[in-house]
Amino acid sequence: MTRPETLQAVASPPQGWMPASWRQRHALQQPTYPDAAALEGVLNELHALPPLVTSREVLNLKHQLADAQEGKRFLLQGGDCAEIFGDCTPEVISNRLKVLLQMSLVLVHGLRLPVVRVGRFAGQYAKPRSADTETKDGITLPSYRGDLVNGPEFNAEARIPDPRRMIKGHARSAMTMNFIRALIDDGFADLHHPEYWNLAWVGHSPLAEEYQTMVAGIGDAVRFMETLSGESIHNLRSVDFYTSHEALLLPYEEGVTRQVPRQAGWFNLGTHFPWIGMRTAAVDGAHTEYFRGICNPVAIKIGPSVTPDQLLRLIDVLNPNDDPGRLSLIHRMSATSIADKLPPLLEAVKRDGRRVLWICDPMHGNTESTSNGYKTRRFENIRSELEQAFEIHAAIGTRLGGAHLELTGEDVTECTGGARELTDIDLERAYRTTVDPRLNYEQALEIAMLIVRKQAQINAPTPI
Ligand code: PEP
Ligand code: CO
């Protein structure tokens, strides 16, 4: 049977590329492992382990991202800034899934478009840091680089990069994937029962009423269609869910890079949709080299210092054949600089006729510290960057096709503002992140509602 043309991977890797060719380039944000033999041993072990995802799923996602590029789908990508090994528990995983399902329901209903659902999970274990070392009370130690690399505790032993953590991270990613697949197969995402997704602690959320009214309306519509057709609508029982993470720790990513039977090319089978972080997105850097040869759909984070020229060169390297679905650009500028920095990039890509999916990350440009010492993000700035992104794309004639968010299903207080108007003082109540502040359930749902309202406003014909 021939496969549809869009599901073909590129036939052969680009010139000079190998899963290990990144080693010839300058690799930023990598730990220094003290024992090279132990590292090689772990990489051999990783190579032999079963993959976490399949090439077929990876290509299906690419197909959906190609649809999103054409405005036929909207992408929702969300999850923790950093997963931690201790959070690989049924509650944390299912709560995160619930929030993403609820948000996607709001988006499908409001945008009248299918949603591509991508979690920042099952592998989001490595973090870039602003400095290689951290000093406290006169003691200097290597920085914590995520559970995939070392431990967060401030002592010399915990901070030594340990390659065995890659095997642990791989196993926890597999457990997370396995649990999510099992939940979905078991009807957790069944649209006949959206009440399964309600989070116990939510209680009297100011947004609950709007959400429940929408859910009741969907329930009525489903029952009406089933009565009309005289049978149950089975494809409402399940959804596609994909995984993504920042492919930062290159030895690990090389270790999960595979060839598969009956499919040309190399795949990263540790996740469906890897991305390059802002700090490691140099065109001649090791990360770009690794990414150029894999067949997965890939994304790059674009910060305010990227010039139109640099962006076009990155696109040349990562998607030379203008392959549909292959490349997404996640802009993360900040509420104050998006109006200046984004338009020249959109114009350059549009002028050159490059096929990309534009995604807005309204989180990472808006991180600040409060006077009581917490790293936070103000809901108003997140909202402002997202709303401006919709307006700027509409003015230039490009399309904002997705949102990239840091969120959790736990009852945390890490970002201020939102419907419950959390203040700097509230941060003390439940501040749990090890890296960046995340939206809690209500704030995340509010963002989904805001996307729907903003898109409707943009679609509405201008009053005369
Ligand atoms: C992140 O997504 O957690 C991150 C570090 O983002 P960025 O690369 O955009 O700074
Ligand atoms: Co982050």
Side-chain angles (χ1 to χ4, degrees):
M1 199 179 85
T2 51
R3 287 169 192 273
E5 202 250 327
T6 40
L7 289 186
Q8 290 284 356
V10 287
S12 53
Q15 269 247 288
W17 185 89
M18 287 292 290
S21 55
W22 62 268
R23 290 170 185 257
Q24 283 134 38
R25 302 285 181 91
H26 185 47
L28 293 173
Q29 298 282 343
Q30 304 301 297
T32 309
Y33 288 103
D35 182 345
L39 174 63
E40 282 316 304
V42 160
L43 294 185
N44 290 335
E45 204 174 322
L46 262 184
H47 271 296
L49 291 172
L52 303 180
V53 303
T54 70
S55 59
R56 182 81 189 164
E57 291 168 348
V58 167
L59 294 177
N60 281 341
L61 172 63
K62 191 173 163 199
H63 198 60
Q64 294 196 3
L65 293 170
D67 282 352
Q69 287 174 335
E70 290 178 14
K72 296 184 197 148
R73 287 176 184 269
F74 190 83
L75 171 90
L76 171 65
Q77 186 176 21
D80 283 304
C81 179
E83 283 178 287
I84 53 175
F85 291 170
D87 271 356
C88 184
T89 66
E91 295 77 25
V92 171
I93 296 168
S94 58
N95 285 350
R96 200 198 285 123
L97 194 61
K98 286 176 182 179
V99 179
L100 288 167
L101 284 169
Q102 289 198 346
M103 291 177 79
S104 74
L105 193 59
V106 170
L107 293 172
V108 171
H109 181 259
L111 299 176
R112 302 276 186 261
L113 281 180
V115 166
V116 189
R117 300 172 193 83
V118 179
R120 273 178 70 115
F121 53 56
Q124 178 54 21
Y125 286 119
K127 296 308 298 174
R129 303 315 306 249
S130 44
D132 282 344
T133 57
E134 185 183 345
T135 302
K136 252 190 215 168
D137 304 326
I139 300 170
T140 300
L141 295 176
S143 295
Y144 167 60
R145 292 185 174 277
D147 279 9
L148 199 58
V149 175
N150 56 3
E153 304 81 13
F154 193 76
N155 66 62
E157 205 191 322
R159 293 294 173 90
I160 298 171
D162 175 3
R164 299 288 323 156
R165 284 178 165 270
M166 289 193 244
I167 302 293
K168 281 191 194 152
H170 185 270
R172 277 173 171 67
S173 302
M175 289 178 229
T176 305
M177 279 298 296
N178 182 56
F179 187 49
I180 287 172
R181 290 186 197 280
L183 282 173
I184 290 177
D185 281 355
D186 214 28
F188 188 77
D190 188 341
L191 205 46
H192 297 84
H193 296 286
E195 69 278 7
Y196 292 176
W197 315 339
N198 286 340
L199 287 154
W201 59 268
V202 171
H204 298 94
S205 161
L207 299 176
E209 214 178 292
E210 188 175 344
Y211 178 75
Q212 294 307 348
T213 309
M214 187 199 80
V215 167
I218 293 171
D220 286 347
V222 169
R223 278 186 292 279
F224 174 71
M225 287 306 293
E226 289 184 337
T227 311
L228 205 64
S229 65
E231 55 190 65
S232 162
I233 308 175
H234 291 287
N235 56 8
L236 296 180
R237 296 201 190 285
S238 183
V239 294
D240 291 334
F241 231 106
Y242 297 98
T243 61
S244 67
H245 65 250
E246 178 175 351
L248 181 69
L249 184 63
L250 290 171
Y252 177 83
E253 302 303 334
E254 180 191 323
V256 295
T257 304
R258 306 290 165 81
Q259 282 179 304
V260 294
R262 294 181 297 283
Q263 189 72 254
W266 291 84
F267 288 82
N268 181 317
L269 295 183
T271 189
H272 299 108
F273 188 25
W275 79 82
I276 312 184
M278 181 189 72
R279 294 175 181 79
T280 50
V283 70
D284 54 356
H287 291 80
T288 307
E289 171 59 22
Y290 169 74
F291 271 67
R292 90 184 162 99
I294 53 173
C295 299
N296 302 58
V298 299
I300 326 172
K301 291 279 202 102
I302 306 294
S305 67
V306 173
T307 64
D309 233 42
Q310 286 168 338
L311 183 57
L312 293 177
R313 281 170 57 216
L314 269 169
I315 298 174
D316 278 341
V317 172
L318 291 171
N319 195 17
N321 303 320
D322 206 34
D323 192 11
R326 158 74 176 166
L327 186 62
S328 296
L329 301 177
I330 308 172
H331 50 76
R332 30 90 79 228
M333 299 294 174
S334 86
T336 46
S337 63
I338 187 170
D340 275 350
K341 302 291 181 185
L342 187 59
L345 301 177
L346 301 187
E347 272 154 5
V349 172
K350 187 180 172 202
R351 202 181 314 119
D352 255 39
R354 306 301 179 95
R355 197 194 312 254
V356 301
L357 176 65
W358 289 106
I359 302 169
C360 176
D361 164 0
M363 314 293 298
H364 285 89
N366 295 309
T367 314
E368 57 186 274
S369 289
T370 62
S371 52
N372 48 352
Y374 287 97
K375 195 172 167 189
T376 192
R377 292 165 173 155
R378 304 196 183 278
F379 190 85
E380 272 321 296
N381 292 335
I382 296 170
R383 170 198 193 110
S384 162
E385 179 163 356
L386 196 54
E387 290 188 339
Q388 289 183 67
F390 274 102
E391 285 160 13
I392 294 167
H393 277 278
I396 290 177
T398 46
R399 184 182 294 114
L400 184 61
H404 180 115
L405 302 161
E406 284 186 348
L407 51 85
T408 172
E410 303 309 294
D411 181 14
V412 299
T413 53
E414 296 171 6
C415 295
T416 59
R420 250 180 233 261
E421 298 178 350
L422 296 181
T423 64
D424 287 6
I425 303 297
D426 291 314
L427 296 180
E428 288 165 18
R429 183 166 65 79
Y431 192 94
R432 294 221 289 275
T433 180
T434 47
V435 191
D436 285 339
R438 301 159 295 179
L439 298 168
N440 64 23
Y441 160 81
E442 285 179 348
Q443 293 167 329
L445 203 58
E446 195 170 351
I447 289 283
M449 292 175 175
L450 184 153
I451 290 173
V452 166
R453 275 195 280 271
K454 195 70 203 170
Q455 184 66 61
Q457 197 187 71
I458 284 182
N459 293 345
T462 345
I464 304 170

